[in-house]
Amino acid sequence: MINFLNLEYFLVAAEELNFTKAAKRLYISQQSLSQHIRKLEAELGVQLFHRDNPLVLTQAGQCVK
């Protein structure tokens, strides 16, 4: 079952394409946001972001968005 909080956090991160900015927008730490994204990736069994600089959505991430 998908945790909707994790999904909401993913959507903000996907809009910002920057975990620090997304975390500030969500009023949480960047570390907490990263944990939520990793949990969602584990639930879905896919990687949602290429964690390079700059942050980019994977094909799976684009589908979820």
Side-chain angles (χ1 to χ4, degrees), residues 9-65:
Y9 286 2
F10 162 76
L11 291 173
V12 173
E15 286 176 13
E16 294 290 341
L17 290 177
N18 182 301
F19 279 5
T20 302
K21 288 180 182 178
K24 285 182 182 180
R25 217 172 113 186
L26 294 164
Y27 302 102
I28 62 173
S29 70
Q30 188 264 331
Q31 181 181 15
S32 178
L33 176 60
S34 293
Q35 289 173 348
H36 282 278
I37 299 296
R38 288 191 195 285
K39 286 178 184 176
L40 181 60
E41 289 175 328
E43 290 172 14
L44 298 175
V46 295
Q47 184 176 347
L48 298 171
F49 291 99
H50 292 292
R51 287 170 173 79
D52 299 324
N53 194 359
L55 192 66
V56 179
L57 286 168
T58 63
Q59 188 173 2
Q62 291 173 356
C63 290
V64 173
K65 184 181 174 191

